[in-house]
Amino acid sequence: MSFNISLSGINAANANLNVTANNIANVNTTGFKESRAEFADLFNSTSYGLSSTAIGSGARLTNVAQQFSQGNIDTTGRSLDLAVAGEGFFTLSMNGNRVYSRAGNFQTDSNGYVVNPQGARLQVFAPNAAGTGFEAGQLTDLRLLTTDSPPRPTSNVELAFTLPANAAVPTVATFDPADSNSYNQSSGGITVYDSLGVSHTQTSYFVKTANPNEWQVYNYVDGIPVNNGSVPGNPNAVPPVPAVPGNPITLQFSDSGQLTAPADGKIVMDPFTPSSGAGSLNMSLDITGSTQYGERFSLRNTAQDGYASGKLNEVSISEEGVVYARYSNGVDVGLGQVALTNFNNPQGLKSDGNNLWTETYTSGTPRTGAPDSSDFGQIQAGSLEASTVDLTEQLVNMITAQRNFQANSQMLSTQDQITQAIINIR
């Protein structure tokens, strides 16, 4: 019996050494969680229970428990290197099976899918149809598309200006954009875009009327009038046909310089048909906040909501796990939101190697959610979570396990000597 006790102690010490060796071997493994050997004592019992004088039968290994503590987060500067700062696992799909990992050393495969080194695809919440958020329960593979960002035609132009209160009526009564004496000021030209992403220039001309605090504004796109009743000219006709500027919009200001008409500050321009083959540009001019002050013209702000097509410049990931594709035209497109999964008992997960775990009955039902919500941690892009192995601690454990192994071996030697002594009794 005593031989078996010592043998169980040797086996326990050897298991402890194996666990320690595995920890030391993975001291530089990304996302690795150190393991701890857990033991229990052994007693031989009968149907009547244990006697008060029963002696234990040794020790046995009951569990190799991984310790899911937070590892140090090391900066790498690579956009697809991700680390979870807090609770949760990256959710991956391996050949259709759901697996989990704390290692965020991702890359793209030949089809543009974001995968780990073993080819498991990173799962994200898909963007909703409106493009305003993400579908909470719908997981999909994250794929980085290299196609161009499509253009967006301009629908709204913003213009904020200050007109001079002491302006005089132009010396030329008939407005002509080619004659600077027929208007007081112009916006100088704002770049707008059609449905094909081709740029055009929208220009507003301001003409002071004989009435106090009253102005007129003419709007043109690429030199073609887009005012009410305007008609484009034909310079190629013989003789050339001049454009009809149409009816301007009247602007009125209060005696304190505030814009009073149009009341909503919006001017609807007539449709403009580009020669590029794009659809008609239907734009409105928003001059809310414009004023009539002082003696000088001031253009305070210009903006428009269209843009040309763009090339993919980079991919960035926020702390909330939102994956953005950033294009050369300044557009950010949300491709998905990284899905994190947590368990009531992470130590119940089954380790499959390659920094991957799968759920078991013991781990509990997986709970999947967005980073930085509930009990899920944040995503740190351009970083990796280091191994949680403390090398100094493991070396101390190694010495302790070695001493335990030696002590149990010495106990076997002692028991052998006692047995030999008994055999030698005459």
Side-chain angles (χ1 to χ4, degrees), residues 280-297:
S280 296
L281 265 175
N282 297 284
M283 300 185 294
S284 63
L285 182 66
D286 187 351
I287 60 172
T288 303
S290 297
T291 56
Q292 178 190 246
Y293 291 142
E295 301 177 353
R296 294 179 180 233
F297 174 76

Side-chain angles (χ1 to χ4, degrees), residues 329-343:
N329 56 6
V331 175
D332 287 353
V333 178
L335 303 179
Q337 186 175 27
V338 174
L340 293 183
T341 300
N342 208 354
F343 299 85

Side-chain angles (χ1 to χ4, degrees), residues 309-372:
S309 61
K311 302 286 185 183
L312 180 64
N313 279 348
E314 64 175 342
V315 173
S316 65
I317 302 174
S318 69
E319 291 184 346
E320 293 78 24
V322 179
V323 182
Y324 292 103
R326 294 189 167 172
Y327 293 89
S328 57
N329 56 6
V331 175
D332 287 353
V333 178
L335 303 179
Q337 186 175 27
V338 174
L340 293 183
T341 300
N342 208 354
F343 299 85
N344 291 334
N345 177 29
Q347 288 190 344
L349 292 170
K350 175 180 174 290
S351 177
D352 286 344
N354 294 320
N355 299 322
L356 299 176
W357 289 275
T358 54
E359 67 176 284
T360 66
Y361 177 80
T362 308
S363 67
T365 304
R367 294 177 288 106
T368 303
D372 201 22

Side-chain angles (χ1 to χ4, degrees), residues 22-24 26-27 32-35 387-391 394:
N22 185 62
N23 286 339
I24 293 175
N26 286 282
V27 70
F32 180 79
K33 302 302 179 183
E34 71 168 298
S35 299
S387 169
T388 59
V389 174
D390 184 334
L391 187 56
Q394 296 305 312

Side-chain angles (χ1 to χ4, degrees), residues 148-166:
D148 291 348
S149 168
R152 174 180 175 178
T154 300
S155 61
N156 185 59
V157 178
E158 295 181 11
L159 200 62
F161 52 82
T162 297
L163 296 171
N166 63 344

Side-chain angles (χ1 to χ4, degrees), residues 6-59:
S6 297
L7 184 60
S8 72
I10 289 176
N11 289 334
N14 187 59
N16 199 5
L17 281 170
N18 288 338
V19 171
T20 302
N22 185 62
N23 286 339
I24 293 175
N26 286 282
V27 70
N28 290 320
T29 301
T30 299
F32 180 79
K33 302 302 179 183
E34 71 168 298
S35 299
R36 182 180 68 194
E38 298 177 347
F39 303 95
D41 56 350
L42 288 172
F43 276 88
N44 287 330
S45 61
T46 68
S47 58
Y48 300 104
L50 287 174
S51 169
S52 60
T53 59
I55 299 174
S57 300

Side-chain angles (χ1 to χ4, degrees), residues 360-409:
T360 66
Y361 177 80
T362 308
S363 67
T365 304
R367 294 177 288 106
T368 303
D372 201 22
S373 66
S374 185
D375 59 343
F376 296 105
Q378 294 180 335
I379 298 297
Q380 299 293 323
S383 304
L384 289 175
E385 183 182 7
S387 169
T388 59
V389 174
D390 184 334
L391 187 56
T392 302
E393 178 186 2
Q394 296 305 312
L395 291 175
V396 172
N397 289 344
M398 179 186 68
I399 295 171
T400 303
Q402 180 185 11
R403 292 292 181 262
N404 292 340
F405 191 98
Q406 290 173 337
N408 282 281
S409 299

Side-chain angles (χ1 to χ4, degrees), residues 94-397:
M94 174 70 84
N95 298 323
N97 297 319
R98 196 62 50 81
V99 293
Y100 309 95
S101 179
R102 289 283 295 192
N105 49 331
F106 297 111
Q107 58 196 19
T108 54
D109 63 11
S110 58
N111 296 315
Y113 291 101
V114 176
V115 298
N116 73 349
Q118 290 71 45
R121 294 179 178 179
L122 179 63
Q123 299 297 288
V124 297
F125 295 111
N128 60 26
T132 57
F134 303 92
E135 298 291 349
Q138 184 178 347
L139 293 183
T140 186
D141 301 333
L142 175 59
R143 190 178 189 184
L144 304 183
L145 300 178
T146 57
T147 56
D148 291 348
S149 168
R152 174 180 175 178
T154 300
S155 61
N156 185 59
V157 178
E158 295 181 11
L159 200 62
F161 52 82
T162 297
L163 296 171
N166 63 344
V169 176
T171 56
V172 177
T174 302
F175 171 74
D176 182 357
D179 186 356
S180 60
N181 292 320
S182 66
Y183 60 90
N184 297 81
Q185 306 291 341
S186 80
S187 63
I190 301 172
T191 301
V192 296
Y193 299 92
D194 62 25
S195 60
L196 297 179
V198 178
S199 62
H200 304 275
T201 302
Q202 186 275 325
T203 308
S204 298
Y205 298 90
F206 302 96
V207 179
K208 183 68 178 71
T209 70
N211 300 323
N213 301 323
E214 186 179 86
W215 294 73
Q216 290 179 333
V217 57
Y218 292 85
N219 291 302
Y220 280 68
V221 177
D222 289 348
I224 298 175
V226 287
N227 307 297
N228 184 26
S230 61
V231 179
N234 185 3
N236 298 321
V238 180
V241 177
V244 178
N247 300 315
I249 298 296
T250 299
L251 307 181
Q252 293 180 337
F253 297 87
S254 67
D255 56 8
S256 61
Q258 304 301 314
L259 181 69
T260 58
D264 60 356
K266 301 289 182 64
I267 298 173
V268 177
M269 292 181 270
D270 277 2
F272 169 75
T273 302
S275 60
S276 63
S280 296
L281 265 175
N282 297 284
M283 300 185 294
S284 63
L285 182 66
D286 187 351
I287 60 172
T288 303
S290 297
T291 56
Q292 178 190 246
Y293 291 142
E295 301 177 353
R296 294 179 180 233
F297 174 76
S298 174
L299 190 59
R300 303 195 308 273
N301 178 57
T302 60
Q304 57 87 38
D305 60 359
Y307 45 79
S309 61
K311 302 286 185 183
L312 180 64
N313 279 348
E314 64 175 342
V315 173
S316 65
I317 302 174
S318 69
E319 291 184 346
E320 293 78 24
V322 179
V323 182
Y324 292 103
R326 294 189 167 172
Y327 293 89
S328 57
N329 56 6
V331 175
D332 287 353
V333 178
L335 303 179
Q337 186 175 27
V338 174
L340 293 183
T341 300
N342 208 354
F343 299 85
N344 291 334
N345 177 29
Q347 288 190 344
L349 292 170
K350 175 180 174 290
S351 177
D352 286 344
N354 294 320
N355 299 322
L356 299 176
W357 289 275
T358 54
E359 67 176 284
T360 66
Y361 177 80
T362 308
S363 67
T365 304
R367 294 177 288 106
T368 303
D372 201 22
S373 66
S374 185
D375 59 343
F376 296 105
Q378 294 180 335
I379 298 297
Q380 299 293 323
S383 304
L384 289 175
E385 183 182 7
S387 169
T388 59
V389 174
D390 184 334
L391 187 56
T392 302
E393 178 186 2
Q394 296 305 312
L395 291 175
V396 172
N397 289 344

